[in-house]
Amino acid sequence: MLSRVADSIYWMNRYIERADNVARFVDVNYHLHLDLPSMNGEQWEAPIQTTGDYDAFVGRLGKPTRETALRFLAFDTLNPNSILSCLSAARENARTIREIIPSEIWEHVNTFYIMVREAVQMRSFFDSPHEFLEQVKSESHLFTGITENCMPHGEAWHFARLGRFIERADKTLRILDVKTFLALPSRVDVGDAFDSIQWSALLRSVSAFEAYRKRHGSIEPDRVAQFLVLDREFPRAVLYCVHAAEDSLHAISHTPEDSFSNRAEQRIGQLASELAYADIQSIVTEGLHEYLDDLQLKLNKVGDAIFDTYFALHPVEPVRR
């Protein structure tokens, strides 16, 4: 497979997954404000911090309000992580490999992009964004379903899967880390109903609320962190995503498990081993925020290694006679 084609498939899936996740934490932040007392005010810094664009936002638009934050995260074409920018980038990647991917994928990505672009004109979005955000999540699910059912499960499919799970692991880490930005009225509120609402909202943002309650029952911060980082069976947990991405890397290179043939496989294998033997109590004792930051750096290095191994153009050594 040409590296150009693999690169486009990988990034098309990362951008769709990113749009889905932006919709998730914007929606949960919106509903969080409906559940919390009005005296606490609206906190729109958190979802912007989650995407890593807070400094860019403040530099252009000042202190976030509901309208400026929603516009920035959903439709701002100057924000590369807005839902519209992600769909535009995914569509452009799909267009360049239109003759390679199943027509159903191209048609869906194109329709999805048009839906989001036309929503820019909806004034009602700023008063009630839930319906639009639900539609973004549903279209993302449909894209995943079409990819699973219409694409042969060969090399191209593994690059699609690799992009989706690397992006998902990154966003789960960011969504969990956002709890450190959500302010409580005072320190005595830690662990009370107010705090519990925020942890429940966090679980809902990754569709993990019901799965968590069935597994652990009551909402406890340490168990929530354990579930979202170290669970081997929940599809949005970081460890699950890392294992899935590792499987696809080995399927692409045909390298046996527990070995590696390139830097990407080495780094993701090291990350999977670290997560597999991690202990949540040790993580909390050392600092959850610091641990999540470190995991994100390691995941970024995996992404860099994937780019260097499969997508980067390397100069060809001259033939010596």
Side-chain angles (χ1 to χ4, degrees), residues 14 49-52 166-178 180-181 238 271 274-275 288-304:
R14 283 201 70 159
Q49 292 274 17
T50 308
T51 64
I166 290 290
E167 183 69 26
R168 185 177 294 178
D170 176 73
K171 288 297 176 290
T172 297
L173 286 171
R174 288 173 182 269
I175 288 171
L176 182 56
D177 203 24
V178 79
T180 62
F181 295 107
V238 177
L271 182 56
E274 180 184 326
L275 287 166
L288 179 60
H289 172 68
E290 290 73 15
Y291 181 78
L292 296 175
D293 260 359
D294 184 57
L295 275 187
Q296 273 191 291
L297 288 175
K298 289 173 179 172
L299 199 60
N300 289 342
K301 287 181 179 178
V302 172
D304 293 342

Side-chain angles (χ1 to χ4, degrees), residues 20-39:
D20 174 66
N21 280 279
V22 172
R24 285 174 181 276
F25 52 70
V26 171
D27 197 28
V28 79
N29 200 65
Y30 171 73
H31 280 95
L32 190 59
H33 296 314
L34 300 181
D35 293 336
L36 293 177
S38 58
M39 57 180 286

